[in-house]
């Protein structure tokens, strides 16, 4: 698989089979992902990998916890700005529409949306999850490093025939995760990453993207468009 195919075939998969992910595969992916770049090469990521009985138990407890309507753990980082402005707010709402239309859920059906959201804490059925942490002393550039690292993992997983779903949802029940992974106090749980083989029977709508000229500006005088791309 070439890099373009890995990038375009990666998506947040929300339906996995229970086929186990062999240890040597995830070892290979994480060993290669260690080559991700980071400012001054400080490699500020801390990952806990979990599968088997411990993950099954964590999922069960987390799903029960959320199902009972227990409050979220207090936030250790701001997930989104409190008032998301344009164009981000429209993009977020378009994503919500895509996601719930695939599940046949009406926008106003809050209960059905909640039920669908609970699948987050079952890792959408995935047999393996990574819990990615960052040291609380780290600043914005190091959080960006962690993002690059996660994307590298997700692309390598495609090369192995695997899919993934990054999930900040896990940070909302971070204390439950901590009971299983016992991270040192200086670590913040950024997100989970569910990993497995896709259940191809699960319906989805591919999320769209903003047109290139909304997010990229070519400064005049730089590379000119070729006759073919004009
Ligand atoms: C840091 C991060 C956190 C995310 N958290 C969640 C989550 O908690 N639950 C979920 O279903 N998707 C989550 N996503 C997936 C995004 O919704 C998804 O990446 C986006 O809609 C684009 O779709 P695609 O990944 O399928 O291309 C997260 C993605 C990122 C990068």
């Amino acid at each position: 698989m070439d890099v373009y195919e890995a990038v375009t075939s990666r998506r947040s998969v929300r339906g996995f089979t229970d086929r186990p992910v062999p240890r040597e595969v995830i070892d290979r992916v994480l060993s290669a992902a260690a080559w991700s770049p980071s400012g001054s090469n400080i490699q500020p990521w801390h990952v806990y990998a979990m599968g088997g009985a411990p993950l099954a138990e964590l999922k069960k407890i987390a799903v029960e916890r959320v199902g009972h309507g227990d409050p979220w753990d207090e936030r250790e980082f701001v997930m989104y700005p409190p008032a998301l402005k344009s164009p981000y707010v429209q993009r977020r709402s378009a994503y919500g529409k895509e996601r719930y239309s695939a599940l046949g859920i009406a926008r106003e059906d809050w209960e059905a949306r909640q039920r669908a959201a609970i699948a987050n804490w079952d890792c959408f059925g995935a047999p393996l999850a990574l819990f990615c942490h960052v040291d609380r002393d780290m600043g914005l550039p190091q959080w960006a490093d962690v993002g690059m690292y996660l994307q590298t993992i997700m692309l390598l997983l495609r090369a192995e025939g695997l899919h993934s779903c990054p999930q900040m949802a896990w940070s909302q029940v971070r204390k439950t995760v901590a009971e299983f992974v016992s991270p040192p106090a200086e670590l913040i749980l950024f997100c989970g990453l569910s990993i497995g083989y896709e259940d191809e029977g699960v319906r989805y709508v591919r999320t769209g993207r903003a047109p290139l000229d909304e997010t990229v500006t070519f400064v005049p005088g730089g590379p000119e468009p070729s006759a073919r791309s004009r």
Side-chain angles (χ1 to χ4, degrees):
M1 177 177 291
D2 79 4
V3 182
Y4 281 90
E5 195 185 341
V7 170
T8 53
S9 69
R10 186 219 57 82
R11 59 189 168 78
S12 297
V13 163
R14 298 186 179 89
F16 294 90
T17 69
D18 57 7
R19 181 177 159 197
V21 178
R23 173 64 186 259
E24 62 269 23
V25 173
I26 196 67
D27 275 350
R28 193 158 54 230
V29 164
L30 293 174
S31 301
W35 291 101
S36 300
S38 57
S40 295
N41 198 28
I42 68 171
Q43 305 157 68
W45 41 80
H46 298 261
V47 166
Y48 295 83
M50 207 194 293
L55 183 62
E57 184 66 10
L58 169 59
K59 288 177 184 181
K60 187 169 157 276
I61 293 173
V63 166
E64 275 170 13
R65 187 183 151 180
V66 177
H68 287 154
D70 288 2
W72 304 131
D73 294 327
E74 64 281 14
R75 304 229 49 85
E76 293 193 288
F77 62 91
V78 180
M79 238 195 216
Y80 296 99
L84 207 55
K85 62 185 182 188
S86 180
Y88 315 109
V89 66
Q90 290 86 357
R91 290 180 191 157
R92 180 191 227 177
S93 133
Y95 155 69
K97 240 185 240 163
E98 284 162 349
R99 168 126 166 72
Y100 293 107
S101 76
L103 299 172
I105 296 175
R107 250 184 117 54
E108 55 286 353
D109 189 346
W110 180 246
E111 269 186 24
R113 289 175 67 153
Q114 282 300 93
R115 275 198 304 276
I118 284 182
N120 265 290
W121 296 282
D122 185 44
C123 292
F124 303 107
L128 178 67
L130 304 183
F131 293 96
C132 188
H133 294 67
V134 60
D135 195 300
R136 62 186 77 244
D137 284 351
M138 296 295 145
L140 296 178
Q142 289 76 49
W143 281 70
D145 293 341
V146 172
M148 286 183 244
Y149 172 70
L150 282 168
Q151 170 74 336
T152 305
I153 292 175
M154 291 189 273
L155 298 183
L156 288 163
L157 289 168
R158 289 306 303 123
E160 299 284 357
L162 287 156
H163 274 284
S164 60
C165 186
Q167 297 167 269
M168 275 194 288
W170 278 105
S171 70
Q172 295 169 302
V173 294
R174 63 182 170 80
K175 289 184 180 165
T176 305
V177 177
E179 282 166 25
F180 285 76
V181 304
S182 309
E186 68 262 26
L187 295 188
I188 293 178
L189 175 59
F190 169 37
C191 68
L193 185 71
S194 293
I195 296 173
Y197 296 94
E198 182 180 10
D199 177 350
E200 291 177 1
V202 173
R203 285 181 55 208
Y204 70 92
V205 172
R206 189 77 167 92
T207 51
R209 290 298 189 269
L212 202 60
D213 62 5
E214 263 188 38
T215 56
V216 178
T217 304
F218 282 97
V219 177
E224 298 296 342
S226 66
R228 254 189 328 142
S229 64
R230 262 199 295 262

